[in-house]
Amino acid sequence: MSQPINRYKADLRDFQFLLFEQFRVQDLLADERFADWDENQVKLVLEEAYRFVREVLGPLNAVGDREGCRIENGRVMSPPGFKEAWTKLYEAGWKGIGSSVERGGMGAPLPLQSCVEELLCGANNAFSMYPGLTHAAAEVIAEFGTPGQRERYAAPMLSGEWAGTMCITEAHAGSDVGAASTSAKKCADGSYRIRGTKIFISGGDHDLTSNIVHLVLARIEGARSGTKGLSLFIVPRLRVGADGQLSQNNDVEVASIEHKMGIHGS
């Protein structure tokens, strides 16, 4: 079996032109929020991110296309090397570069974060969907969740211990989110029972992490029709105790794998 080969190339001069000449990120660096950053650090981050994607993500691009995902015993198995790449990505801190220090990030300016994301996606877009959706879902919980939800769910997602998704699309409501029929019934203990089926969920299931936290759009019984009647629920694949420990399955099941232009959803 031949060794994976990186075929991704980028011109860092183009990135530096955008950052310093087009967007003038140096003006942002003068703000006290970015007191720990300077132009040399920005350039160094670009160089290191480029090295990372060429050594880790780029070689896996063809592997993902060739091997793909598969279902074993009701769980989705990712392509060879993806799990190791996930660990290296979070150990290097690339997903948290633009997050605040309070959330475990590096507090970098958004333009630099965008350039790093471009490198990650350019080298291997299929892989980058997994941490991309995780980070987005975690930021939603961190911004709008209760203190307990932030600690219980957002923190392990931002660190890469757990993954996350956004469950929006349904088979009959692809472009009309307001027509979603997934329902939510309130229980006596304040939790909700969610019933429904979602499709095209990028990273809907995989073996990269011990748990996957789904943000699910559903309509509480009696709520108004349309988008204004929808609510967003935190639905972990494995239930999470008050102490943060994982327990039994949360009745989240995968029906099939969707093959979406190289990005696997379920």
Side-chain angles (χ1 to χ4, degrees), residues 6 29 83:
N6 171 64
L29 298 180
K83 188 170 185 177

Side-chain angles (χ1 to χ4, degrees), residues 86-87 89-91 93-97 99 103-105 129-143 145 148-167 202-203 206 208-216 232-238 240 244 246:
W86 174 281
T87 300
L89 176 76
Y90 280 93
E91 285 179 346
W94 294 122
K95 289 308 299 182
I97 188 170
S99 296
R103 293 179 182 172
M129 290 294 290
Y130 292 105
L133 266 296
T134 295
H135 190 77
E139 288 283 4
V140 169
I141 298 173
E143 186 67 25
Q149 290 169 341
R150 294 170 192 160
E151 179 67 24
R152 188 180 301 184
Y153 300 106
M157 293 167 72
L158 289 170
S159 70
E161 180 183 354
W162 296 349
T165 75
M166 293 188 178
C167 300
S202 299
H206 52 74
L208 304 180
T209 60
S210 60
N211 203 12
I212 303 173
V213 178
H214 304 283
L215 292 188
V216 181
L232 191 62
F233 296 88
I234 299 174
V235 182
R237 185 183 71 82
L238 297 179
V240 184
L246 302 181

Side-chain angles (χ1 to χ4, degrees), residues 180-199:
S181 61
T182 298
S183 63
K185 182 177 181 179
K186 192 169 185 177
C187 302
D189 63 357
S191 63
Y192 287 82
R193 290 187 178 276
I194 313 296
R195 183 180 181 86
T197 302
K198 301 289 185 176
I199 65 170

Side-chain angles (χ1 to χ4, degrees), residues 236-258:
R237 185 183 71 82
L238 297 179
R239 296 181 182 181
V240 184
D243 58 357
Q245 296 300 307
L246 302 181
S247 58
Q248 72 268 35
N249 189 288
N250 201 19
D251 296 326
V252 178
E253 297 181 359
V254 177
S256 63
I257 293 177
E258 301 280 357

Side-chain angles (χ1 to χ4, degrees), residues 20-21 50 54 66 109 115 142 152 173 185 190 192 208 227 253 264:
F20 296 109
E21 299 179 45
Y50 186 40
R54 284 183 297 154
R66 183 173 60 248
C115 287
R152 188 180 301 184
K185 182 177 181 179
Y192 287 82
L208 304 180
T227 56
E253 297 181 359
H264 297 279

